[in-house]
Amino acid sequence: MEKVKHILQQVGLKATKSRCEVLAFLIEHHGPISIEEMQKKLAKKSPDRVTLYRMMQQYYAAGIINRVDFREGFERFEFQDHHHHHIVCTHCAVVEEFELCDADDIAKHALKHSKKFKIIKDHSLELFGLCNSCTKKGL
Amino acid sequence: MEKVKHILQQVGLKATKSRCEVLAFLIEHHGPISIEEMQKKLAKKSPDRVTLYRMMQQYYAAGIINRVDFREGFERFEFQDHHHHHIVCTHCAVVEEFELCDADDIAKHALKHSKKFKIIKDHSLELFGLCNSCTKKGL
DNA sequence: TTCTAGATGCAACTATATTGCATTAACATA
DNA sequence: TATGTTAATGCAATATAGTTGCATCTAGAA
């Protein structure tokens, strides 16, 4: 818990009780989670959803979480430990992580050919497919 | 206009007047556009927004348009001619297209290491940065 | 211990997207 | 060309996601 507090203070955020609990939860959770799911899992510990939204904005701005879009109509968030992306089954929503050999290759390549940009700060990369289980079921 | 009609019929969609007009507009527009912007630009020609949403679902399922998420809280859609992705300025929203040498490399690489997937149908890839103009302004 | 900037919760609100149903139009068949 | 069937459309209502304003409270500094 002291570790979580330290992370927050390092990025210049007040280490309130709520913030520590939410961040600790995100670290333990693994995988992108929605605001609604967070509220349910945190249960009594959960702050108001408005506060969760505000936290996510701050954590993202501070670079300690990622924003993830699985084309569900809402965003997901996950603690940023190692750089990775996701493959999502469009039928059953199962998620698998994958890593690129050099994640920055794409940004470098894009910048080399870009006329309007010299600075890339973030990127989104998600793959959508059918998992083996759904494929077998012929979906 | 006959060309547009042909595209629709080829993917098994009734070539109604509205559908042809919307698809023709998307082809001419270039770049990802939101439902709201479509309505404004199509003006009197525009179908109800419910119909636009339904069209986008069908066009996407048929593989003639792409879904694009610029983290704005809504989706954008664009006609799929050549495969490409986007760099978006998070400050002024200017957009530049970029192409990868081999766009499928990523999917291939991911599938090679995947345990749960053998089929990738689509992917999203967007870069977020600061454009040169906003960088100069020190934003 | 006190003070203050900023964090939180609640209520209200805005925006985005979807559903149900009555009406209308495309296009296949006669 | 006329007709029938299936699917497309528009409208109203609804659901879901995310934001704003403001009063209250709390972390951390003085």
Side-chain angles (χ1 to χ4, degrees):
Chain A
M1 210 57 182
E2 276 306 309
K3 182 190 138 199
V4 169
K5 200 169 176 177
H6 191 66
I7 294 175
L8 287 169
Q9 288 170 338
Q10 250 185 341
V11 298
L13 291 172
K14 260 191 203 174
T16 66
K17 200 175 162 231
S18 288
R19 278 187 186 158
C20 290
E21 284 170 352
V22 171
L23 183 53
F25 169 79
L26 286 175
I27 291 173
E28 280 182 28
H29 178 265
H30 299 297
I33 187 169
S34 69
I35 295 287
E36 202 188 343
E37 285 170 342
M38 270 182 236
Q39 269 200 303
K40 280 184 190 165
K41 297 238 178 179
L42 284 162
K44 286 178 188 171
K45 277 189 180 178
S46 179
D48 190 87
R49 77 204 161 82
V50 172
T51 303
L52 285 174
Y53 278 111
R54 292 196 265 231
M55 281 180 184
M56 295 308 112
Q57 286 171 355
Q58 293 158 332
Y59 293 0
Y60 176 72
I64 55 181
I65 62 168
N66 298 318
R67 295 178 175 278
V68 182
D69 173 38
F70 286 170
R71 291 182 178 164
E72 299 163 297
F74 52 84
E75 270 194 307
R76 290 175 175 274
F77 307 90
E78 77 179 338
F79 180 67
Q80 191 172 63
D81 41 5
H82 63 296
H83 187 89
H84 65 273
H85 296 280
H86 308 90
I87 318 179
V88 190
C89 178
T90 51
H91 190 266
C92 74
V94 72
V95 175
E96 189 178 21
E97 291 186 4
F98 74 95
E99 281 152 61
L100 291 177
C101 310
D102 182 356
D104 290 329
D105 265 1
I106 298 162
K108 276 182 202 161
H109 173 82
L111 280 183
K112 205 189 295 176
H113 295 79
S114 172
K115 287 173 184 169
K116 297 180 186 167
F117 289 82
K118 287 195 189 64
I119 302 171
I120 303 291
K121 294 196 169 180
D122 192 13
H123 62 268
S124 66
L125 170 55
E126 261 59 57
L127 306 186
F128 301 97
L130 269 184
C131 74
N132 296 338
S133 168
C134 286
T135 306
K136 275 181 196 162
K137 290 175 194 154
L139 300 167
Chain B
M1 210 57 180
E2 276 307 308
K3 182 189 139 199
V4 169
K5 202 169 175 178
H6 191 65
I7 294 174
L8 288 169
Q9 289 170 337
Q10 251 185 341
V11 297
L13 291 172
K14 261 192 203 173
T16 66
K17 200 174 161 233
S18 288
R19 278 187 185 156
C20 290
E21 284 170 353
V22 171
L23 183 53
F25 169 78
L26 286 175
I27 291 172
E28 280 182 26
H29 178 265
H30 299 298
I33 186 168
S34 69
I35 295 287
E36 201 188 344
E37 286 170 342
M38 269 183 236
Q39 270 200 304
K40 280 185 189 163
K41 296 237 177 181
L42 284 162
K44 286 179 187 171
K45 277 189 181 179
S46 179
D48 191 87
R49 78 205 157 82
V50 172
T51 302
L52 285 174
Y53 278 111
R54 292 197 266 233
M55 282 182 185
M56 295 308 110
Q57 285 172 354
Q58 293 159 332
Y59 292 0
Y60 175 72
I64 54 181
I65 62 168
N66 298 318
R67 293 177 176 279
V68 182
D69 173 37
F70 285 169
R71 292 181 178 164
E72 300 164 297
F74 53 83
E75 270 194 308
R76 290 176 175 273
F77 306 90
E78 75 180 338
F79 180 66
Q80 191 173 62
D81 40 7
H82 64 296
H83 187 89
H84 65 272
H85 296 280
H86 308 91
I87 317 178
V88 190
C89 179
T90 51
H91 189 265
C92 73
V94 72
V95 176
E96 189 178 22
E97 293 186 4
F98 74 95
E99 283 152 59
L100 292 176
C101 310
D102 183 355
D104 289 329
D105 265 1
I106 298 163
K108 277 181 203 161
H109 173 83
L111 280 183
K112 207 189 294 176
H113 296 80
S114 173
K115 287 172 185 170
K116 298 180 186 167
F117 289 83
K118 287 194 189 66
I119 302 172
I120 303 291
K121 293 197 168 180
D122 193 12
H123 61 268
S124 67
L125 170 55
E126 261 58 56
L127 306 186
F128 300 97
L130 268 185
C131 73
N132 296 339
S133 167
C134 287
T135 306
K136 275 181 197 162
K137 288 174 194 154
L139 300 168

